[in-house]
Amino acid sequence: MSQPPYATELGLQLCHDCGNTCQLGDTDCPRCWSALHARKPNSIGRTWALLVGALILYLPANLLPVMYTDMFGNGSESTILSGVIEFWRGGSWDIALLIFIASVVVPCIKFFVLGLLLITVQRRSRWAMRERARLYRFIETIGYWSMLDVLVVALVAALVQLRALSTIEPRMGILFFGLVVG
């Protein structure tokens, strides 16, 4: 079974600004006139740096409180996992499961798959190229669900501001979580 060709083998390259497909010999994009490169300079090194940085930021994102809630004078801070446990104990297992999948499972899957893709690209492997492309697209699609916690905290903090009765404020954990998934 023959492997699909690389873009360079077909004499093609993409503009990194507008996404236009251009001929390999072109120096400027005919659509937006930006400089063309066959590959983004240092893309593998930059991607490794971003992946390692996200892994490092993932620890405080899960250990630090993401939200402070004060209802009728009873204040408490909650982390992502304590929020999942609280929803589960409260009988909202569906919300707990959704938050757990979006906040813990999806980022872990992204870390593993991106590491796998980086290793295979760095080794110039031609193994399972179509499957790896599908994996990349899958990771890109599910990546948007990782921002669910940031969105929930922002919405709840904006909507539930009844100063006399309750206060909800974001905490440092949500900043780290936004940095991990952003």
Side-chain angles (χ1 to χ4, degrees), residues 69-92:
T69 308
D70 183 9
M71 297 281 208
F72 307 110
N74 295 328
S76 67
E77 292 185 325
S78 59
T79 64
I80 291 172
L81 289 178
S82 69
V84 168
I85 292 168
E86 204 171 307
F87 276 117
W88 190 272
R89 288 184 181 158
S92 299

Side-chain angles (χ1 to χ4, degrees), residues 156-175:
V156 169
L159 294 175
V160 188
Q161 287 302 326
L162 306 172
R163 288 283 170 194
L165 302 175
S166 67
T167 304
I168 297 177
E169 300 171 354
R171 290 293 194 231
M172 285 301 290
I174 204 67
L175 172 69

Side-chain angles (χ1 to χ4, degrees), residues 7 17 35 44 47 79 81 86 96 126 138 140 159 165 178-179:
D17 290 337
I44 294 175
T47 307
T79 64
L81 289 178
E86 204 171 307
R126 292 184 72 95
F138 173 71
E140 192 174 21
L159 294 175
L165 302 175
L179 291 170

Side-chain angles (χ1 to χ4, degrees), residues 13-173:
Q13 63 183 342
L14 278 181
C15 173
H16 298 299
D17 290 337
C18 71
N20 188 32
T21 305
C22 306
Q23 294 299 317
L24 193 57
D26 294 348
T27 57
D28 295 324
C29 174
R31 183 189 293 167
C32 69
W33 303 107
S34 63
L36 293 174
H37 308 283
R39 295 253 179 231
K40 286 185 181 179
N42 303 319
S43 62
I44 294 175
R46 287 186 293 168
T47 307
W48 272 115
L50 290 170
L51 181 61
V52 170
L55 281 166
I56 291 168
L57 293 172
Y58 190 65
L59 289 173
N62 284 298
L63 297 176
L64 292 174
V66 293
M67 187 167 53
Y68 171 77
T69 308
D70 183 9
M71 297 281 208
F72 307 110
N74 295 328
S76 67
E77 292 185 325
S78 59
T79 64
I80 291 172
L81 289 178
S82 69
V84 168
I85 292 168
E86 204 171 307
F87 276 117
W88 190 272
R89 288 184 181 158
S92 299
W93 60 269
D94 49 351
I95 296 173
L97 193 60
L98 178 68
I99 292 173
F100 180 75
I101 289 172
S103 305
V104 177
V105 175
V106 168
C108 289
I109 289 172
K110 283 177 68 174
F111 292 144
F112 174 76
V113 171
L114 287 174
L116 174 75
L117 291 174
L118 272 171
I119 290 169
T120 56
V121 165
Q122 199 167 16
R123 298 176 126 213
R124 297 179 188 260
S125 172
R126 292 184 72 95
W127 166 77
M129 290 174 64
R130 287 188 183 172
E131 290 79 9
R132 288 182 2 224
R134 284 189 198 120
L135 263 179
Y136 176 78
R137 288 185 195 100
F138 173 71
I139 290 301
E140 192 174 21
T141 302
I142 67 169
Y144 299 114
W145 284 94
S146 298
M147 290 298 281
L148 181 67
D149 284 330
V150 178
L151 180 65
V152 167
V153 169
L155 284 174
V156 169
L159 294 175
V160 188
Q161 287 302 326
L162 306 172
R163 288 283 170 194
L165 302 175
S166 67
T167 304
I168 297 177
E169 300 171 354
R171 290 293 194 231
M172 285 301 290

